[in-house]
Amino acid sequence: MIFETWTPEETREIGKQLGENAEPGQIYLLDGDLGVGKTVFVQGVAEGLGIRGPVNSPTFTILQVYEDGRIPFYHFDVYRIADIDEMDEIGYEDYFFGGGVCFIEWAELIEEILPADCIQIRIEKELKKGFDYRRITIDK
Ligand code: ADP
Ligand code: MG
């Protein structure tokens, strides 16, 4: 599935719809360059899950847990991970194989521990279509 957006609000809206339909046990991998809109997308997902609190990239913690929505929401941002052991230290398996939904920004950095059946989301710019244009590709 491919979506095209021209504003952050549109990207957020696609995330929101996905959040409304997300199911326990799903793991979403979110890749794309810095500043492309991964966190904007995740903020929409959180809204769709009914989470009220502010959602920002958990830059210094790898993982942020939100439990006030329809199902638990586990937001990883592994951009600053230096060693895969850091994932063991936070007990990632409890989240990957728990009863919530996982979103992992920069998932490509922890490829070796990802289960096979994740849903991949890639966000890309294409500057010739404008500075705010984004292409969002979702693959099962
Ligand atoms: P990332 O998490 O991928 O590093 P962010 O979501 O934090 O990126 O930031 C994306 C930035 O791009 C925001 O400042 C946002 O306003 C801007 N932006 C511009 N156009 C779009 C768009 N179409 N979709 C998403 N973000 C956009
Ligand atoms: Mg981010």
Side-chain angles (χ1 to χ4, degrees), residues 105-134:
E105 296 190 43
W106 293 99
E108 62 194 40
L109 298 177
I110 57 163
E111 222 167 354
E112 63 226 81
I113 60 164
L114 295 173
D117 56 347
C118 299
I119 300 156
Q120 305 211 10
I121 303 175
R122 170 157 286 278
I123 309 178
E124 294 160 296
K125 295 185 183 182
E126 198 175 317
L127 286 176
K128 66 171 189 271
K129 296 195 175 179
F131 190 67
D132 290 343
Y133 171 86
R134 304 289 191 272

Side-chain angles (χ1 to χ4, degrees), residues 5-8 11 32-41 57 105-106 131-134:
T5 71
W6 284 265
T7 64
T11 295
D33 295 338
L34 200 63
V36 81
K38 297 182 295 299
T39 298
V40 168
F41 189 91
S57 254
E105 296 190 43
W106 293 99
F131 190 67
D132 290 343
Y133 171 86
R134 304 289 191 272

Side-chain angles (χ1 to χ4, degrees), residues 27-67:
I27 302 176
Y28 291 86
L29 314 179
L30 205 44
D31 286 298
D33 295 338
L34 200 63
V36 81
K38 297 182 295 299
T39 298
V40 168
F41 189 91
V42 165
Q43 286 166 342
V45 172
E47 191 186 342
L49 284 165
I51 290 155
R52 262 175 295 268
V55 173
N56 294 300
S57 254
T59 302
F60 298 105
T61 54
I62 301 184
L63 171 65
Q64 206 76 253
V65 176
Y66 302 90
E67 297 197 300

